[in-house]
Amino acid sequence: MQIVRAEEMYEWDRRAMDEYGREGYILMENAGRALAGRIREKFPKDEKFLVLIGGGNNGGDGYVIARILKDQGFDVTAVQVVPDEKIEGDALYHKNVYTKSGYDLAELTEQEWNRGTVVIDAMLGIGVKGPLRPPFDDLVRDVNLYGMHRVSIDIPSGLPADEGEEEFEAVKADTTFIVQAPKLSLFTEHTSGYYGEAEVVDIGLPPLSVTDPAREWRAEEDVKEGYPRLPASAHKGSRGKGLLIGGAQMMPGALVMAAKASIRSGAGLTTAATVPGNIPSAAGSLPEVMFMGTEEVDGVISGIDTDSLTGKDAVAAGIGMGRKEPGRAVMETLLKETKVPLLIDADGLYHLRFLLDVLKEREEVTVVTPHVKEMADLTGESTGEVKRNPFSISSKFARDYGVYVVLKGPHTIITAPDGRQIVESSGNEGLAKGGSGDVLTGILLTMLMQHEHPLEALANGCFLHGKSAELLTAGERTVYDLLPTDVVEGLSSVFRTYIKE
Ligand SMILES: NC(=O)C1=CN([C@@H]2O[C@H](COP(=O)(O)OP(=O)(O)OC[C@H]3O[C@@H](n4cnc5c(N)ncnc54)[C@H](O)[C@@H]3O)[C@@H](O)[C@H]2O)[C@@H](O)CC1
Ligand SMILES: Nc1ncnc2c1ncn2[C@@H]1O[C@H](COP(=O)(O)OP(=O)(O)O)[C@@H](O)[C@H]1O
Ligand SMILES: [K+]
């Protein structure tokens, strides 16, 4: 499913009319009918609906919804919140249909506020610009104040559709029925909460691709269909030989979790390279993994035998390796000498910020997997800026350095060097715990070895990781006690539920 900016949504609408000959008022009828259908399915017939209708096409959708719900016998009070002269075009057409149907408009009184149980917010859509002007400023506050269930149409009124906007006032919806395609603000941290429970409603626009480069929200079906299946003739070589590099004397756990995740997610053979002192205990807990000692200074990795890179299908480096000086040279060597996909995470990203010129020179596939703070440090932006602009900041970094970016969070945004983006939203707050990222690194290492397209591979890996958490917390675990090591074990149920044919 495409994720659109406001401009792209308008483009979609315009092309449906200009190229496909669909009349605007018919599109609006279809939109309102689809939206009313979802409202009808969600709420029992004894609810008392208050529909607030604004002056643009969002209000036009509101007129269609109010009429259809009334046609079907629902208790609906409709209020046009702007003067008559503001209603024009397709919205005016549908206002006329509404009134010719014998339905009237009400004044917004204290009584109406108190009588309603569900408010349908069709005041402002993706056309909102700048701070709210009267009467919308007061109305948005009132909607948030009264205790009705708040249903926003397309977008909570006042909320920006795109990323980047810092100051706004908006309806805090309980439910949002999004028209046709999710907008960027559904995925940015400071705006996503306003949507409440969000559902995309297909209003039947022709299937056009309006995002270029493509920007897509991953659905379970996409993963089920596209996941590379294992042939019966598989052997360990065909499943990939991966190398994980990380772990300092005081941080052996990260590497152990990543290595375990790598083999659990299906790697043929995983080798873990770490400081020699960590090997006896790590090897004891991971009999399937091969170990290799690195050079060491002050308890951290200070060098790696580049022969170990030969014969590998992918390499992941940086987890738990610490930030001490020697690590930088190790990362520089890896950037220069790794001829297969190289994934860099955690402390490896810390060192990378001093090696950006080397990164730029590198020609083979490179993946960086920062969380917001690491992305901020890599790009020199503040964490606030990264949170407000995750799509464009990821895209710029991916293009500037020719890398794949996995910007981790509740909605993980994966970007290819050409700017294509996939959002993977599986997972829950149970993953907000030290070590979750290490598990993800192990999974992604495996995915990179098994799929010819890194963007798809990375999206599949984020899905496995997030779904494991979801399945576990739907069963025995909760978001409080879930451990990263549980997420590794939970991969079995993800494969059984979603991947196995
Ligand atoms: N064919 C259809 O029926 C479709 C309907 N759509 C609906 O149309 C909406 C977009 O319609 P519009 O472009 O008319 O935009 P809006 O419905 O968001 O209304 C924009 C109007 O609101 C007013 N406004 C903007 N910012 C304001 C502010 N800060 N304070 C006060 N007033 C402000 C302006 O007068 C402007 O004309 C979508 O959100 C969706 O609901 C579209 O999604 C596309 C498809
Ligand atoms: N609230 C959340 N909802 C969904 N996923 C989350 C949430 N918090 C964290 N995650 C996921 O957990 C992982 C955490 O990675 P990271 O921040 O690197 O953790 P660590 O520092 O423990 O390695 C990422 O994959 C991220 O997408
Ligand atoms: K709205």
Side-chain angles (χ1 to χ4, degrees):
M1 185 184 290
Q2 294 178 90
I3 299 167
V4 296
R5 296 179 193 282
E7 275 314 312
E8 292 159 343
M9 191 64 235
Y10 285 128
E11 165 82 0
W12 199 344
D13 206 27
R14 188 192 59 71
R15 287 180 60 192
M17 295 191 269
D18 295 355
E19 293 172 23
Y20 290 71
R22 316 229 173 143
E23 295 289 344
Y25 69 95
I26 296 177
L27 292 177
M28 192 172 277
E29 173 75 20
N30 292 345
R33 189 164 291 279
L35 292 159
R38 285 300 299 125
I39 293 168
R40 208 178 54 225
E41 280 160 24
K42 188 175 169 74
F43 296 99
K45 213 149 188 183
D46 58 1
E47 299 281 7
K48 295 180 176 61
F49 292 92
L50 174 63
V51 185
L52 301 180
I53 299 172
N57 286 332
N58 196 251
D61 290 346
Y63 266 118
V64 180
I65 292 167
R67 165 172 49 87
I68 290 173
L69 291 179
K70 276 178 180 278
D71 284 348
Q72 292 169 348
F74 282 85
D75 179 341
V76 178
T77 301
V79 176
Q80 180 186 303
V81 303
V82 294
D84 285 339
E85 61 271 20
K86 295 266 182 190
I87 309 282
E88 48 188 32
D90 298 326
L92 180 58
Y93 172 91
H94 282 288
K95 177 181 179 176
N96 289 332
V97 177
Y98 176 86
T99 45
K100 281 184 188 161
S101 303
Y103 300 141
D104 54 8
L105 289 165
E107 291 292 317
L108 194 53
T109 60
E110 188 67 28
Q111 193 192 345
E112 295 301 343
W113 283 116
N114 288 320
R115 206 181 79 86
T117 55
V118 178
V119 60
I120 308 280
D121 155 33
M123 295 189 287
L124 292 166
I126 60 174
V128 68
K129 288 209 169 55
L132 291 179
R133 297 185 297 274
F136 295 103
D137 44 0
D138 285 340
L139 282 168
V140 164
R141 273 168 231 151
D142 286 341
V143 168
N144 288 336
L145 199 66
Y146 286 91
M148 281 181 266
H149 188 99
R150 295 183 278 271
V151 178
S152 287
I153 299 305
D154 197 22
I155 192 165
S157 290
L159 199 72
D162 296 343
E163 60 179 349
E165 204 113 14
E166 196 171 351
E167 303 274 331
F168 55 82
E169 216 179 336
V171 167
K172 294 192 179 74
D174 295 302
T175 305
T176 300
F177 290 117
I178 299 170
V179 173
Q180 192 71 34
K183 321 299 182 285
L184 295 195
S185 63
L186 178 61
F187 306 97
T188 46
E189 190 180 301
H190 64 305
T191 46
S192 64
Y194 284 81
Y195 281 84
E197 197 184 309
E199 187 190 316
V200 180
V201 178
D202 187 336
I203 62 160
L205 290 181
L208 291 171
S209 92
V210 291
T211 56
D212 180 25
R215 194 187 312 107
E216 189 199 336
W217 195 16
R218 252 330 186 50
E220 276 173 21
E221 288 65 38
D222 301 328
V223 185
K224 277 185 186 170
E225 279 166 28
Y227 197 90
R229 294 323 197 266
L230 203 56
S233 60
H235 54 87
K236 66 178 185 256
S238 65
R239 302 180 72 173
K241 294 182 182 160
L243 175 64
L244 273 164
I245 303 163
Q249 193 73 65
M250 303 310 285
M251 284 185 283
L255 192 73
V256 171
M257 287 189 278
K260 195 153 197 182
S262 156
I263 50 177
R264 212 24 125 203
S265 54
L269 200 61
T270 299
T271 303
T274 188
V275 291
N278 282 345
I279 293 181
S281 68
S285 67
L286 288 172
E288 299 89 348
V289 172
M290 305 212 316
F291 282 86
M292 211 192 88
T294 62
E295 291 162 33
E296 175 188 343
V297 171
D298 288 342
V300 301
I301 301 174
S302 61
I304 175 135
D305 178 3
T306 50
D307 285 347
S308 66
L309 301 170
T310 314
K312 300 296 187 298
D313 297 300
V315 175
I319 49 176
M321 76 187 275
R323 297 180 166 197
K324 288 186 193 164
E325 180 73 29
R328 193 186 301 183
V330 175
M331 292 310 300
E332 181 166 355
T333 304
L334 289 174
L335 285 168
K336 289 179 172 162
E337 303 296 335
T338 310
K339 302 301 169 201
V340 292
L342 171 65
L343 181 150
I344 303 170
D345 185 30
D347 294 331
L349 296 172
Y350 170 81
H351 295 300
L352 187 64
R353 74 172 98 155
F354 307 104
L355 297 166
L356 291 175
D357 47 343
V358 186
L359 177 64
K360 200 158 188 163
E361 291 300 306
R362 185 178 151 77
E363 285 175 0
E364 298 81 4
V365 168
T366 312
V367 179
V368 295
T369 58
H371 51 59
V372 167
K373 174 72 169 65
E374 288 164 339
M375 190 74 195
D377 290 341
L378 266 183
T379 55
E381 302 282 355
S382 67
T383 52
E385 278 297 294
V386 175
K387 283 180 186 177
R388 282 190 293 279
N389 299 280
F391 290 94
S392 54
I393 289 177
S394 296
S395 174
K396 180 165 184 342
F397 192 81
R399 288 169 192 259
D400 284 354
Y401 294 98
V403 299
Y404 291 83
V405 178
V406 179
L407 178 55
K408 297 180 288 193
H411 298 283
T412 293
I413 302 174
I414 307 148
T415 308
D418 63 5
R420 273 178 304 149
Q421 296 187 309
I422 293 180
V423 175
E424 174 48 61
S425 302
S426 57
N428 57 38
E429 58 275 31
L431 287 169
K433 208 172 242 187
S436 295
D438 305 321
V439 169
L440 181 68
T441 285
I443 297 172
L444 296 183
L445 174 69
T446 300
M447 297 298 112
L448 286 169
M449 303 193 290
Q450 297 184 350
H451 202 301
E452 56 177 324
H453 301 297
L455 184 68
E456 298 289 318
L458 295 167
N460 286 346
C462 293
F463 174 86
L464 295 179
H465 183 252
K467 274 294 166 201
S468 176
E470 284 181 23
L471 291 180
L472 286 162
T473 55
E476 212 167 289
R477 302 280 181 224
T478 69
V479 293
Y480 302 102
D481 60 79
L482 185 71
L483 294 181
T485 44
D486 298 332
V487 175
V488 177
E489 297 315 317
L491 290 170
S492 307
S493 2
V494 185
F495 283 119
R496 192 175 305 113
T497 312
Y498 297 99
I499 309 297
K500 189 175 155 283
E501 267 139 13

